[in-house]
Amino acid sequence: MNIDWDDFDKSEVIGSGLFGTSYLLIFNNVDYVLKVQKIFKNQKKKDMKIPFWRELKFYDVIKKKVPKEYQKFFMKLIKYRFKENCKHIQKRTFVPNNPELKKHLKELDKSNTCLEMLVEYKGYTLGNIMHYYTPNKNQILSLILQLCISEKILRKINYLHNDMHVNNIAVKKSNEKFIQIKHKKKKHKFPLHGLQLSLIDYGNLVNLNDSSNKNFNANKEQIFLFEIIPVIINDLCFGNAQFIRSCNKKKKKLPWIKDPNFTYNFLVKILKNEHKIWKKMRAKIHKVFPLMEFYLFRFENNPTIEQYKQIDSFFTGYAGIDSIINFFRFYYPKKYVKYMGWCSDHKPLVSRKIIKKILYTNNLDDLISYLLKIIK
């Protein structure tokens, strides 16, 4: 497709992070996204150690290895180019605390070279949608199932998204009533309820075929589930957007604004004030994910910020920490609100029975099977 975007209006920013900005462009009544980021000039040479080169390769992998009917769960690359004498200025909503990253960004901002990628528009981010609109139960279940299917496709082609959160998931209105999938050698179809989900932003991708990623491969089957559980539990089941709206309405700071180490301090409070409950939660998690026991035991015996950061750097360790919070939130919702620093409590968006089943499911295929049974 031959599209020259130099003359397009780039005033509508739909996303901005540490490294790049996304603009909404319209060409022949079709929406596209132009992603612009500063790069160093020597990075124009192909090098798979550089995140954007991995991302560009991933677009090609999706096109060649993913069946056409499943490609809707991912963005399609239309065109990319490198641009010299680039005038782009990256506006950041926050400044990282890491001194090395700060220095890197400062040097990057001085560069006159940009990478521009034109990709298809996949809708608003899930975070944006949940902030203004609360989907009904059937829509929530459909979105969870679509997220699981997307993750299963990644597993099949041996990639890990590695940056899964509500702002890297897009949702768009769809006139398609059902999606047909193949699961455990059988064909199934399930309703979309008007919403199509897609995964976006592939800058932190992990190629599991790469021998340097053997740590991920060690627990490959469960890692794909660990990656999506925080979004499923916190954002889609419990509806974190409700909690955020409450604090905004009361003009109170959000937990992570009040305390940059809010997750760490939450765990310390449980250990200190609810040690018996911690033991119970740890025992429950051990039954579902035995490999997490090691990381939780380490933190329990040395609950320092250094130990927390070390555990957080391991995918399974991070999942273990997150699971303690999820289980605690499920069984002790009022204490969770208190220790996390939310402004008020809210009812979950789906039944507690469904949440419990998800919490106690330890692999992706079983979760998909369960969802296919209950979705209407």
Side-chain angles (χ1 to χ4, degrees), residues 205-366:
L205 278 168
V206 172
N207 183 349
L208 296 176
N209 292 314
D210 189 337
S211 59
S212 64
N213 295 319
K214 59 184 179 182
N215 287 337
F216 289 98
N217 277 303
N219 192 27
K220 183 177 169 182
E221 289 305 308
Q222 289 187 349
I223 276 175
F224 286 95
L225 183 62
F226 296 161
E227 175 164 72
I228 58 176
I229 280 295
V231 172
I232 291 175
I233 295 294
N234 295 317
D235 300 292
L236 289 169
C237 290
F238 281 110
N240 263 4
Q242 303 176 97
F243 294 77
I244 294 171
R245 283 196 298 268
S246 290
C247 287
N248 289 341
K249 194 174 181 180
K250 294 176 181 179
K251 296 182 179 178
K252 292 187 177 181
K253 289 181 179 179
L254 297 170
W256 49 90
I257 301 295
K258 286 189 289 188
D259 178 10
N261 296 316
F262 75 104
T263 306
Y264 164 72
N265 286 319
F266 173 85
L267 294 170
V268 170
K269 287 172 190 173
I270 300 174
L271 263 176
K272 183 180 178 182
N273 302 320
E274 312 287 351
H275 194 67
K276 287 183 180 179
I277 291 176
W278 170 282
K279 291 281 191 182
K280 285 181 183 178
M281 296 301 98
R282 210 184 87 183
K284 289 178 185 297
I285 290 168
H286 177 72
K287 288 180 181 178
V288 190
F289 301 111
L291 287 173
M292 293 180 182
E293 176 76 5
F294 170 69
Y295 297 98
L296 296 176
F297 179 78
R298 276 174 60 184
F299 181 76
E300 183 179 322
N301 285 278
N302 185 24
T304 62
I305 187 70
E306 291 77 18
Q307 177 72 1
Y308 170 80
K309 287 177 179 177
Q310 188 180 357
I311 291 173
D312 191 41
S313 66
F314 294 97
F315 212 103
T316 309
Y318 166 79
I321 287 169
D322 204 66
S323 291
I324 277 281
I325 296 171
N326 289 338
F327 273 77
F328 189 86
R329 183 175 195 171
F330 178 76
Y331 284 103
Y332 306 95
K334 292 188 184 302
K335 288 186 176 184
Y336 164 81
V337 169
K338 173 188 171 184
Y339 291 131
M340 190 57 81
W342 287 114
C343 306
S344 57
D345 193 11
H346 295 272
K347 288 183 179 179
L349 302 180
V350 298
S351 71
R352 288 178 57 79
K353 181 181 177 182
I354 290 173
I355 297 174
K356 186 175 182 180
K357 181 66 178 179
I358 293 171
L359 281 174
Y360 281 90
T361 301
N362 66 6
N363 72 77
L364 189 59
D365 285 329
D366 286 352

Side-chain angles (χ1 to χ4, degrees), residues 16 19 24 30 33 41 49 85 92 105 136 146 170 189 203 215 223-225 239-240 302 321 337 344 350 359 363:
S16 183
F19 296 96
L24 181 65
V30 178
V33 174
K41 192 168 185 174
K49 292 178 182 177
N85 300 315
R92 300 180 178 93
L105 293 173
N136 61 43
Q146 289 181 63
K189 70 175 186 178
N215 287 337
I223 276 175
F224 286 95
L225 183 62
N240 263 4
N302 185 24
I321 287 169
V337 169
S344 57
V350 298
L359 281 174
N363 72 77

Side-chain angles (χ1 to χ4, degrees), residues 126 129-130 133-140 143 195 236 349:
L126 180 61
I129 286 175
M130 297 289 284
Y133 166 73
T134 303
N136 61 43
K137 176 191 167 184
N138 288 329
Q139 289 176 321
I140 292 286
L143 289 172
L195 299 176
L236 289 169
L349 302 180

Side-chain angles (χ1 to χ4, degrees), residues 89-102:
I89 298 173
Q90 184 61 30
K91 295 179 181 178
R92 300 180 178 93
T93 54
F94 70 98
V95 180
N97 293 324
N98 187 314
E100 287 185 17
L101 182 54
K102 272 186 183 179

